[in-house]
Amino acid sequence: MSVLTPASEVILRHEDVFLDKRVLFAGDVQDLLPTELDAKTVRVHTAWYHHCLALRDKMDEESVQYGLVAGAEFVRECDTLLYFWPKNKPEAQFQLANLLSLLPVGSDVFVVGENRSGVRSAEQLLAPYSPLVKIDSARRCGLYHGRLETAPQFDPQSYWNEYQLDGLTVKTLPGVFSRDGLDSGSQLLLSTFDKPLSGEIADIGCGTGVLAAVLAKRSPGVKLTLGDVHAPALAASQATLEANGLTGTVVVSDVYSAMPGRFDMIISNPPFHDGMHTNLQAAENLIRGALTHLRIGGQLRIVANAFLPYPALLDSIFGSHTVLAQNGRFKVFQAIHTLSRGKDKAGKRG
């Protein structure tokens, strides 16, 4: 059995309930429980591409759906929802409205999550549609159950928001980082760009697309590629570009997995959480893989919490790094792909 999250372990305390059920997993599914649960059928909808890839490696590809919203036919074939509560309540509201609007009335609804994630608010949120009762509490998690009595109306357009920044319209959706305004880390990163840019720029973990949009406005000649694993982020980035008449390629990519070619600059405000838990893997992969995605002379420029252990990794990969800016919480790191490092890389490949 794979390593399971505490929430999944709570579900397994009730595994007999699901034997004759057509189960739909959704929400913040972070492990391989869908591949191990004994049920009549199992499907998964996820907004996280890296989770999708991990599950498709173990399941029938048609049983795992990735995207901003779940498909009607995909959901209607199920009679039981197993929803893993995310740390972002607005994202839970969006996803549950989508899923409950498609499930057949009478379907079982289970909601599970860590107590510190705010899962208790599921009772109030779902009261008009599927009144919930707490049926278990273990591993600092709560498990709730109800039956769908009334399907909610779901209008995805009503969940869009926007804010203005430097003459730009930034489009946002629930669950997207910096949804309500520019975060202080990204602000510090942008402050380091005081000269016009040229060439090809990749924004890894693009979120709302605000970093790329600001740089494109300041330097209209740049060619943008924006990548993220989070479906709402990709939708928001595309909408931000369109709202401001900017051109760029938005791709679903697990760090570099689908990023095309090499770039003159890679920028990022990389995440260091996966759900409720600290996870530096994406940022470390960003740094480790940068040389193979930068042209000689190209640079990686990232912002990160000052306490995170990136300086040593930058030095081991690039040979050196520079701190361009810092404040009480964040540092902006720059590392340049030098010709010597290119030769070292070629030597290692040989």
Side-chain angles (χ1 to χ4, degrees), residues 185-186 188-190 192-193 202-204 211 256 265-271 282-284 286-288 290 299-305 308-311 313-314 318 321-325 330-335:
S186 294
L188 185 66
L189 176 58
L190 287 174
T192 65
F193 292 94
D203 182 358
I204 307 292
L211 294 177
Y256 298 113
M265 177 179 286
I266 296 171
I267 62 170
S268 185
N269 183 351
E284 291 177 356
L286 173 75
I287 295 170
R288 293 184 189 280
Q299 64 171 280
L300 172 70
R301 192 177 300 193
I302 65 174
V303 63
N305 289 72
L308 293 173
Y310 299 147
L313 181 57
L314 287 164
F318 285 87
H321 76 277
T322 303
V323 177
L324 298 180
F330 299 101
K331 289 183 178 180
V332 177
F333 300 103
Q334 175 182 273

Side-chain angles (χ1 to χ4, degrees), residues 12-336:
L12 286 181
R13 288 157 59 99
H14 304 264
E15 58 183 331
D16 291 348
V17 171
F18 304 102
L19 290 173
D20 63 345
K21 301 293 186 181
R22 299 191 301 275
V23 178
L24 172 65
F25 281 80
D28 195 22
V29 183
Q30 294 187 26
D31 58 27
L32 297 179
L33 178 63
T35 71
E36 300 174 7
L37 187 72
D38 193 2
K40 189 173 183 179
T41 63
V42 174
R43 292 185 173 189
V44 186
H45 178 268
T46 178
W48 296 95
Y49 187 59
H50 58 310
H51 296 164
C52 171
L53 293 178
L55 290 164
R56 283 181 176 172
D57 189 50
K58 304 288 185 180
M59 299 175 66
D60 177 359
E61 186 170 335
E62 294 182 356
S63 298
V64 184
Q65 187 180 76
Y66 166 79
L68 176 63
V69 295
E73 294 304 318
F74 187 81
V75 174
R76 286 174 185 152
E77 293 298 317
C78 303
D79 60 19
T80 301
L81 174 64
L82 249 176
Y83 185 79
F84 285 67
W85 189 264
K87 67 178 181 180
N88 186 281
K89 182 179 177 181
E91 184 171 25
Q93 292 175 309
F94 177 89
Q95 292 176 345
L96 284 167
N98 170 215
L99 296 165
L100 297 183
S101 72
L102 302 175
L103 279 167
V105 170
S107 295
D108 285 288
V109 177
F110 293 86
V111 178
V112 65
E114 295 188 33
N115 294 329
R116 61 177 176 152
S117 72
V119 67
R120 296 180 184 91
S121 61
E123 289 183 274
Q124 181 179 4
L125 176 63
L126 295 191
Y129 315 109
S130 176
L132 299 177
V133 175
K134 191 173 189 178
I135 61 172
D136 201 355
S137 181
R139 302 298 309 276
R140 298 180 180 177
C141 295
L143 174 62
Y144 300 80
H145 172 255
R147 282 190 171 82
L148 182 61
E149 297 178 353
T150 304
Q153 296 296 314
F154 176 65
D155 176 14
Q157 294 303 315
S158 68
Y159 290 86
W160 282 93
N161 200 357
E162 64 183 46
Y163 63 88
Q164 302 298 310
L165 177 71
D166 295 342
L168 292 167
T169 298
V170 181
K171 306 290 284 187
T172 70
L173 278 168
V176 179
F177 182 64
S178 291
R179 176 176 179 248
D180 299 319
L182 187 67
D183 63 286
S184 55
S186 294
Q187 187 174 5
L188 185 66
L189 176 58
L190 287 174
S191 75
T192 65
F193 292 94
D194 53 3
K195 297 178 181 179
L197 302 173
S198 60
E200 298 185 45
I201 298 176
D203 182 358
I204 307 292
C206 54
T208 62
V210 60
L211 294 177
V214 169
L215 296 184
K217 182 186 177 186
R218 295 178 182 176
S219 303
V222 299
K223 182 178 179 181
L224 299 174
T225 302
L226 294 75
D228 208 299
V229 293
H230 194 207
L234 295 170
S237 286
Q238 186 66 54
T240 294
L241 293 179
E242 293 174 358
N244 296 286
L246 300 172
T247 301
T249 302
V250 179
V251 297
V252 54
S253 183
D254 185 4
V255 191
Y256 298 113
S257 67
M259 300 300 284
R262 290 178 179 261
F263 301 92
D264 300 290
M265 177 179 286
I266 296 171
I267 62 170
S268 185
N269 183 351
F272 66 99
H273 287 98
D274 193 354
M276 295 297 300
H277 304 281
T278 299
N279 188 339
L280 305 183
Q281 192 62 56
E284 291 177 356
N285 290 344
L286 173 75
I287 295 170
R288 293 184 189 280
L291 289 184
T292 59
H293 291 274
L294 284 170
R295 297 187 173 99
I296 301 297
Q299 64 171 280
L300 172 70
R301 192 177 300 193
I302 65 174
V303 63
N305 289 72
F307 65 84
L308 293 173
Y310 299 147
L313 181 57
L314 287 164
D315 289 345
S316 71
I317 300 299
F318 285 87
S320 65
H321 76 277
T322 303
V323 177
L324 298 180
Q326 60 184 313
N327 57 27
R329 292 184 59 198
F330 299 101
K331 289 183 178 180
V332 177
F333 300 103
Q334 175 182 273
I336 298 175

